[in-house]
Amino acid sequence: MTQTIHIVGGGLAGSEAAWQVAEAGHRAVIHEMRPVRGTEAHRTDGLAELVCSNSFRSDDPEGNAVGLLHQEMRSLSSLIMRAADANQVPAGGALAVDREGFSAAVTRALEQHPNVTLVRGEVEGLPPEEWGPCIVATGPLTAPALAEGIRGLTGAESLAFFDAIAPIVHRDSIDMDVAWFQSRYDKPGPGGTGADYLNCPMTREQYDAFVAALVAGEKIGFKQWEGTPYFDGCLPVEVMAERGPETLRHGPMKPVGLTNPRDPLVKPCAIVQLRQDNALGTLYNMVGFQTKLTYAEQVRVFRMIPGLERAEFARLGGLHRNTYLDSPRLLDATLRLRARPTLRFAGQITGCEGYVESAAVGLMAGRFAVAEAAGAPLAPLPQSTALGALIAHITGGHLMADGEANAPRSFQPMNVNFGLFPPLERAPRNETGRRLRGPEKAALKKRALTDRARADLAAWLEGAAEGAAGDARGGAQGAASRPAAAE
């Protein structure tokens, strides 16, 4: 049975969701408010317009999580990846595109598809109930009326209008010969043990040099539409440093209540704490380190911290406007809004970052909607795949702060990265069986993760195909067994 599925938003996520719906034989209606109403970031009325960089980042499927995501999306007939490949420009190992050609290719494919209808105009407030199944893919600059509709349906704290982000570090890149586990005063939080933070100590000389580097580091200015830059609880670390050399060691870097087990008689001048950021324990965020330093400066300055000299960052910090849902609380595993299951969400509004990630979530939202329309729900994606890891992060792969009424939420938007994948069951070894260290170990680990992902996605696709075929056979048999309608 053919069904009409409405998609609000014609960005990368909405375009990909519409393509998946239309290619499955259903009718997709795309509602795009441009050019009737513009945004502060967009410049054209084309679908899937790239508003910032023209890069889809690494295209290496063997050693990079986003390259693996590219490969998985291609295997699922992604329109976004097809258009990107057709409009590629030289960029070394990255996939970069001619932005105008890319947007034109996506727009043309959807406008010419017999199952797609493009409606220009703003959807003011929540989509009407009579529309039935709907995918909301309105991005980080969601129009105020729709944002308020979502808040009214889900609660005042359901959306974040500013994104105060501290850097997030891969756990296995932290030097544990320097850092140690301990909570301040050994106090356990909800679900904690009293050793819930990683602590990196600084001497007076290290602290002074670090503060000087923060103050002198190159910063990013605010965009005009981002409004008031600073607010309670989200002061950038470099702004605190500018207020006086002792500010940080009396704030997020205070050393009280902590003892270095390797040198218990010496009190550090300051301590940087990192808190577990995901349920797998593979990622740790730098507590209180939201920042407007440029990305290059963040890497340089934060690697001055003892224990983080070789830190690898799953994401770097920032402070900017970014409308996104508290998705783990509000969405189910198929991206449906728990408060109104006919609504699905996709793209950056769900709490993913990046062009490819947005399109990937749109792809899965479209496929989930198609499966539901066919009465054949998809099995959960393996979290060992890039797509599965991304969906798991959005719908629950973070730590809950249960029992704390005013606890800060731990869910933050993120790019796909290997820290979202379940750890390997066994450490990789070379051909001789020898365990590896350093760069060789890191490269082999990434290869093992991507090999596992490809195998698990292939098995999932095979199971999905068998399920769809079985449902089709069942439907045909049911139709054959029903009496013919009276003439």
Side-chain angles (χ1 to χ4, degrees), residues 101-413:
F102 169 78
S103 176
V106 174
T107 303
R108 184 168 56 251
L110 289 169
E111 285 182 336
Q112 293 178 354
H113 200 293
N115 293 338
V116 175
T117 300
L118 178 57
V119 178
R120 298 283 186 174
E122 181 181 356
V123 176
E124 297 184 358
L126 291 170
E129 294 270 7
E130 56 266 26
W131 280 7
C134 183
I135 298 171
V136 178
T138 48
L141 298 177
T142 295
L146 178 54
E148 286 306 311
I150 296 168
R151 286 167 63 91
L153 184 63
T154 60
E157 300 305 316
S158 63
L159 285 174
F161 289 96
F162 279 88
D163 194 3
I165 301 169
I168 295 174
V169 180
H170 287 277
R171 162 69 176 79
D172 60 9
S173 71
I174 300 170
D175 186 351
M176 293 306 297
D177 289 334
V178 175
W180 76 94
F181 279 103
Q182 185 186 9
S183 298
R184 204 176 300 280
Y185 300 110
D186 301 310
K187 181 180 179 181
T193 65
D196 304 323
Y197 291 81
L198 275 171
N199 299 278
C200 298
M202 282 186 174
T203 64
R204 167 56 71 176
E205 292 75 16
Q206 290 168 332
Y207 174 77
D208 288 343
F210 180 69
V211 169
L214 284 175
V215 172
E218 183 181 358
K219 284 84 173 176
I220 300 172
F222 275 86
K223 302 289 192 301
Q224 289 183 346
W225 68 81
E226 290 181 321
T228 303
Y230 307 137
F231 47 98
D232 290 346
C234 293
L235 203 64
V237 64
E238 64 274 8
V239 173
M240 286 188 274
E242 290 168 356
R243 293 186 173 182
E246 298 297 297
T247 303
L248 285 172
R249 63 185 302 270
H250 291 284
M253 296 175 65
K254 59 181 178 287
V256 299
L258 299 165
T259 300
N260 186 346
R262 299 181 184 86
D263 201 357
L265 299 181
V266 175
K267 178 64 68 176
C269 174
I271 291 176
V272 174
Q273 289 198 305
L274 297 95
R275 178 177 54 229
Q276 186 175 336
D277 195 78
N278 68 338
L280 294 173
T282 54
L283 300 174
Y284 276 72
N285 74 70
M286 298 174 65
V287 178
F289 270 68
Q290 54 273 1
T291 179
K292 290 296 286 186
L293 289 172
T294 65
Y295 285 173
E297 286 290 80
Q298 288 184 51
V299 173
R300 180 184 69 83
V301 174
F302 295 152
R303 282 182 177 169
M304 295 173 65
I305 298 169
L308 301 186
E309 293 91 344
R310 295 180 177 82
E312 295 296 331
F313 295 92
R315 72 161 301 153
L316 291 161
L319 184 67
H320 55 89
R321 179 184 168 183
N322 189 1
T323 304
Y324 68 96
L325 292 167
D326 188 5
S327 293
R329 182 170 62 86
L330 299 177
L331 304 182
D332 70 11
T334 67
L335 303 169
R336 293 185 305 181
L337 189 68
R338 299 180 192 277
R340 184 173 152 186
T342 55
L343 292 183
R344 273 189 169 83
F345 285 80
Q348 280 189 265
I349 196 170
T350 64
C352 65
E353 285 276 1
Y355 293 147
V356 181
E357 290 87 342
S358 295
V361 178
L363 186 154
M364 289 311 304
R367 287 190 164 238
F368 287 141
V370 165
E372 186 174 46
L378 291 173
L381 280 158
Q383 193 175 347
S384 54
T385 65
L387 283 164
L390 193 59
I391 297 296
H393 168 69
I394 289 167
T395 60
H398 75 306
L399 297 178
M400 302 293 290
D402 294 331
E404 297 183 58
N406 298 312
R409 65 202 198 162
S410 63
F411 177 64
Q412 292 182 346

Side-chain angles (χ1 to χ4, degrees), residues 397-458:
H398 75 306
L399 297 178
M400 302 293 290
D402 294 331
E404 297 183 58
N406 298 312
R409 65 202 198 162
S410 63
F411 177 64
Q412 292 182 346
M414 190 176 293
N415 295 108
V416 68
N417 64 83
F418 287 125
L420 301 180
F421 291 53
L424 296 166
E425 292 184 3
R426 291 185 297 175
R429 299 172 184 265
N430 68 5
E431 295 82 355
T432 66
R434 180 176 60 87
R435 294 188 66 175
L436 305 173
R437 297 185 182 277
E440 190 180 7
K441 176 184 176 182
L444 197 59
K445 176 184 175 182
K446 291 175 181 178
R447 180 60 185 267
L449 287 168
T450 57
D451 285 347
R452 182 183 68 177
R454 279 184 283 275
D456 289 353
L457 183 64

